[in-house]
């Protein structure tokens, strides 16, 4: 039981360090994006309640996306390369005909 409690505490600390920190850039340099209302409400509550005054919606979303891109870099790159190769072949075949 002690291990589970310690593990939960470690997971909470890890989550705070990864996602609930200020972003390296400012929001006004970013771009506007629309998010479902339910996600917006959830993200806002997480950032405000858990992150306090230190974490903005922008910071939280930026951190989550950075982690996602890092975790899935190889798959994203592979899918992207496959798609651009396919598009390139289509373009070349259209030029020929």
């Amino acid at each position: 039981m002690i291990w589970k409690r310690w593990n939960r505490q470690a997971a909470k600390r890890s989550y705070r360090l990864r996602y609930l920190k200020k972003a390296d850039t400012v929001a006004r340099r970013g771009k506007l994006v629309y998010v479902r209302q339910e996600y917006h409400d959830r993200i806002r509550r997480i950032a405000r309640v858990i992150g306090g005054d230190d974490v903005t919606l922008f910071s939280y979303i930026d951190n989550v996306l950075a982690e996602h891109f890092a975790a899935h870099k190889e798959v994203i790159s592979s899918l992207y390369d496959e798609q651009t190769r396919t598009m390139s072949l289509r373009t070349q075949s259209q030029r020929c005909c």
Side-chain angles (χ1 to χ4, degrees):
M1 188 61 135
I2 292 172
W3 174 252
K4 284 186 179 182
R5 187 174 35 227
W6 180 86
N7 204 20
R8 249 182 281 144
Q9 292 300 324
K12 289 177 185 177
R13 257 192 315 280
S14 175
Y15 189 88
R16 283 182 184 276
L17 290 172
R18 278 181 165 158
Y19 304 117
L20 298 170
K21 61 183 179 181
K22 290 185 180 180
D24 295 334
T25 188
V26 288
R28 67 179 169 267
R29 290 193 179 159
K31 300 292 181 186
L32 179 66
V33 64
Y34 292 96
V35 178
R36 292 182 210 192
Q37 186 65 47
E38 66 181 284
Y39 290 167
H40 183 273
D41 294 342
R42 185 183 300 176
I43 293 166
R44 186 180 40 140
R45 282 193 308 273
I46 290 169
R48 186 178 58 212
V49 173
I50 301 173
D53 293 333
D54 295 333
V55 181
T56 63
L57 257 64
F58 173 77
S59 291
Y60 181 77
I61 292 168
D62 190 65
N63 292 323
V64 169
L65 287 173
E67 178 79 14
H68 171 81
F69 290 140
H72 302 286
K73 180 180 180 178
E74 290 180 25
V75 174
I76 293 169
S77 293
S78 178
L79 289 168
Y80 185 87
D81 290 345
E82 286 175 17
Q83 189 63 31
T84 56
R85 239 188 331 257
T86 302
M87 290 170 56
S88 177
L89 291 174
R90 285 183 195 156
T91 305
Q92 289 176 1
S93 66
Q94 288 173 353
R95 289 182 191 152
C96 295
C97 299

